[in-house]
Amino acid sequence: MNTIQAEFELLDERFSGIGGDERIEILYTGTRWAEGPCYFPAGRYLVWSDIPNDRMLRWDELTGNVGPFRRPSGYVNGNTRDAQGRLISCEQGNRRVTRTEHDGSITVIADRWEGRRLNSPNDAVVKSDGSIWFTDPPYGITSDYEGHRAEQEIDGCHVYRADPVTGEVRKVTDDFERPNGLAFSADESLLYVVDTRRKHLRVFDVHADGTLSGGKVLAEGTSDGIRLDDAGRIWAAGEGGVLCFDPDGTLIGRLRIPEKVANLTFGGLKGNWLFIAASTSLYALMTNVRGLTPSGTP
């Protein structure tokens, strides 16, 4: 098994004591742009996206084997799972958010807003009420590299909420340049959203009716996917690897990765494996922290 040295960089005393194995495992190398890691505890496997190659891959925890999961994938970017353990995917090429049912069939969750085609959904999270929240920048339609070149039908790049009962797709924010990674706090009272072009992380108050307020900039330097641990710290793709922010927005530490990090997730039986999708490779590190299990997932 190929490994590299784990480099934890202490930037604030609040990061003191956070660590893990001395070496990071390289589970796979050979993607063009790795994205969207999603761990499934029932099967003890992880799926992730290789966007330009229009495929998804699957890593088996018990055997260590990697094989194809889906190809073509619709240029899938971000992935998550819902409370029933079903895969939720953002298909940049098909300009839609889908759910893979237990029998393998695919259900379209959202592909339009007010009659117009979405840009190219990027990342998604599931709330405990079953609603699916997703970001919609244009990366899948600006060229043929990560999707299909096409005209943008919606004026702007927004964050949306798909209602679990009615299927209504509602715009919840409209002041982003390139909304990307997103995550809820443990009690779902806060929604964190990354703006890639502005390279910052914003935080919103979430209300019972599915609306948002606030939206202040909480942290600088983020660029793509984010996840929370069970202490409320925010782990984010950023400059130099994976950044770790205190809940107050202070950058307290960094895990150095030799490639550009796109996204990450926690998994494993105890939720203490950190899986990192970065450029050509999928990395994994057993840590001494546990990832937050969102209320909307098993």
Side-chain angles (χ1 to χ4, degrees), residues 241-253:
V242 177
L243 309 180
C244 182
F245 295 92
D246 186 79
D248 69 5
T250 304
L251 177 60
I252 61 174

Side-chain angles (χ1 to χ4, degrees), residues 24-294:
I24 300 172
E25 297 178 22
I26 305 173
L27 301 181
Y28 180 82
T29 294
T31 56
R32 276 196 162 88
W33 181 238
E35 251 285 6
C38 182
Y39 182 81
F40 290 84
R44 297 184 66 178
Y45 65 88
L46 180 135
V47 299
W48 80 102
S49 307
D50 180 6
I51 305 175
N53 284 325
D54 193 16
R55 63 174 179 165
M56 297 172 71
L57 297 167
R58 178 185 186 274
W59 170 77
D60 186 279
E61 182 179 355
L62 298 181
T63 66
N65 292 334
V66 172
F69 179 80
R70 180 177 296 161
R71 187 172 190 176
S73 67
Y75 292 90
V76 164
N77 189 324
N79 298 283
T80 190
R81 64 180 195 271
D82 67 8
Q84 288 74 47
R86 297 171 296 187
L87 174 67
I88 306 295
S89 298
C90 294
E91 301 181 11
Q92 288 192 162
N94 295 328
R95 302 170 72 170
R96 65 187 190 178
V97 179
T98 61
R99 181 177 64 232
T100 301
E101 309 295 348
H102 293 303
D103 64 3
S105 61
I106 293 178
T107 299
V108 177
I109 302 297
D111 61 358
R112 295 177 182 272
W113 174 67
E114 295 188 345
R116 289 168 284 176
R117 295 191 70 186
L118 297 171
N119 297 326
S120 60
N122 185 283
D123 211 350
V125 287
V126 181
K127 199 166 179 283
S128 60
D129 63 2
S131 58
I132 297 172
W133 302 58
F134 63 94
T135 53
D136 189 41
Y139 300 124
I141 59 174
T142 55
S143 75
D144 291 315
Y145 185 72
E146 293 187 32
H148 308 289
R149 184 189 298 272
E151 293 297 319
Q152 187 169 331
E153 298 183 18
I154 294 172
D155 182 16
C157 303
H158 311 308
V159 182
Y160 297 92
R161 175 188 184 272
D163 189 274
V165 177
T166 66
E168 175 195 13
V169 177
R170 184 202 310 168
K171 180 176 68 174
V172 293
T173 70
D174 60 3
D175 59 348
F176 279 83
E177 287 194 35
R178 295 291 186 269
N180 200 308
L182 71 172
F184 285 108
S185 61
D187 62 3
E188 299 182 333
S189 66
L190 301 174
L191 178 67
Y192 302 94
V193 187
V194 170
D195 192 319
T196 296
R197 179 167 287 180
R198 294 169 177 163
K199 296 189 182 304
H200 63 212
L201 174 70
R202 297 173 61 188
V203 59
F204 295 85
D205 295 305
V206 183
H207 304 292
D209 62 356
T211 59
L212 302 177
S213 62
K216 71 175 182 179
V217 174
L218 182 70
E220 302 282 354
T222 57
S223 59
D224 211 319
I226 56 173
R227 291 292 186 274
L228 272 63
D229 65 24
D230 63 3
R233 292 176 291 247
I234 304 149
W235 297 73
E239 184 177 353
V242 177
L243 309 180
C244 182
F245 295 92
D246 186 79
D248 69 5
T250 304
L251 177 60
I252 61 174
R254 178 187 286 109
L255 174 62
R256 291 280 181 182
I257 300 294
E259 298 186 88
K260 185 175 181 180
V261 174
N263 216 327
L264 57 139
T265 196
F266 288 95
L269 290 179
K270 296 182 179 179
N272 62 343
W273 276 88
L274 179 60
F275 296 97
I276 303 162
S279 302
T280 69
S281 305
L282 177 70
Y283 299 86
L285 176 71
M286 183 177 284
T287 69
N288 60 2
V289 300
R290 289 192 181 198
L292 173 67
T293 300

